[in-house]
Amino acid sequence: MSRTIRIIHGPTEAEPFVVVDKPAGLPSAPLRDGDDSALTQAVALFPDIADVAGRKPVEKGLLHRIDTATRGLLLIAATDEACAFLAGAQERGQFQKWYRATVDHVPDAAERLGGFPAPPFTGSSRFGQDTIVIQSRFRAYGKNGRAVRPVSEQSGRAACKKSGNTLYRTEVTVRDGASVICTIRAGYRHQVRCHLAWLGLPVRNDPLYNPSAHETAGELAFTAYKIAFPHPKASGIVQYTVE
């Protein structure tokens, strides 16, 4: 399977950013200089973006990243000015991100996985509205903090001490029996996947958050398919979508 990015938008003077469609299985950013990643491949195509001083030197102007197992859109600033502007907009909650997932109905997923507080909804009431809003703080969980768990008012004292203070919100729209659309503005690592498991709707083939999946399962049925953010050099919002 190809692990090569597809360029959705290349940088120009008027629009100094790169939008990338990252395949599943490719990291968003390298752990070390030279590692293969979506960012590394983008730098090879547009060398000037290597000069952007982002939050971490190895991440350059990467502003929106997704899990290695997830396919979808990344945003990379192409200049220091665009990076500063877009990073500020992101911190102010002016980014919006959409995820599409095929899910399994596993009502006791959180209980089987362990480490979750009481579910935010019970019984059929979780599907009694068009859009379900779920929010929590988060903490690292498991060996080497590989996974995360939501932290709520029902969490124990130890869990609360390990979490930050920021509440992360996920809006979940159940389209049919096995398909959901999720929207966020501020994101935490694995946020959407973890929140879906908490609801009893884990992503299909998710080895971390679906107790019915296995490490050898097929590709994660999860795509970061749309992103919207303020234009760094003009008024208005720009939006990009992939199928």
Side-chain angles (χ1 to χ4, degrees), residues 33-110:
D33 284 332
D35 287 352
D36 190 25
S37 69
L39 177 61
T40 307
Q41 293 182 21
V43 168
L45 294 170
F46 309 108
D48 287 350
I49 67 179
D51 296 330
V52 177
R55 293 166 179 157
K56 298 179 182 178
V58 75
E59 294 188 359
K60 315 299 182 186
L62 181 64
L63 289 154
H64 172 53
R65 60 184 299 162
I66 54 178
D67 304 331
T68 297
T70 301
R71 179 235 165 166
L73 295 175
L74 305 180
L75 174 64
I76 307 165
T79 66
D80 286 329
E81 293 78 10
C83 188
F85 173 86
L86 290 168
Q90 191 173 40
E91 290 173 0
R92 292 188 294 273
Q94 294 174 322
F95 277 42
Q96 191 163 4
K97 307 157 194 176
W98 289 261
Y99 298 81
R100 180 173 52 235
T102 301
V103 298
D104 293 324
H105 284 252
V106 187
D108 62 345

Side-chain angles (χ1 to χ4, degrees), residues 9 20 32 52 132 137 140 150 157 159 178 189 196-197:
H9 178 276
V20 167
R32 296 166 296 275
V52 177
I132 305 160
R137 293 173 288 153
R157 182 178 298 177
R189 178 170 64 99
L196 285 172

Side-chain angles (χ1 to χ4, degrees), residues 34-194:
D35 287 352
D36 190 25
S37 69
L39 177 61
T40 307
Q41 293 182 21
V43 168
L45 294 170
F46 309 108
D48 287 350
I49 67 179
D51 296 330
V52 177
R55 293 166 179 157
K56 298 179 182 178
V58 75
E59 294 188 359
K60 315 299 182 186
L62 181 64
L63 289 154
H64 172 53
R65 60 184 299 162
I66 54 178
D67 304 331
T68 297
T70 301
R71 179 235 165 166
L73 295 175
L74 305 180
L75 174 64
I76 307 165
T79 66
D80 286 329
E81 293 78 10
C83 188
F85 173 86
L86 290 168
Q90 191 173 40
E91 290 173 0
R92 292 188 294 273
Q94 294 174 322
F95 277 42
Q96 191 163 4
K97 307 157 194 176
W98 289 261
Y99 298 81
R100 180 173 52 235
T102 301
V103 298
D104 293 324
H105 284 252
V106 187
D108 62 345
E111 181 180 353
R112 289 168 62 184
L113 290 167
F116 283 79
F121 299 94
T122 58
S124 60
S125 64
R126 79 182 89 180
F127 308 125
Q129 49 190 315
D130 292 336
T131 298
I132 305 160
V133 177
I134 180 171
Q135 63 181 8
S136 73
R137 293 173 288 153
F138 280 99
R139 64 184 175 102
Y141 183 83
K143 186 177 180 181
N144 299 322
R146 184 183 177 205
V148 300
R149 290 293 184 265
V151 175
S152 72
E153 293 179 353
Q154 285 71 44
S155 298
R157 182 178 298 177
C160 290
K161 286 183 177 180
K162 295 177 181 178
S163 76
N165 295 321
T166 303
L167 279 174
Y168 292 90
R169 172 188 174 106
T170 304
E171 296 182 4
V172 182
T173 300
V174 181
R175 301 175 67 188
D176 55 46
S179 177
V180 301
I181 296 294
C182 301
T183 307
I184 65 173
R185 289 190 177 273
Y188 193 88
R189 178 170 64 99
H190 300 177
Q191 172 181 331
V192 177
R193 292 162 60 190
C194 182

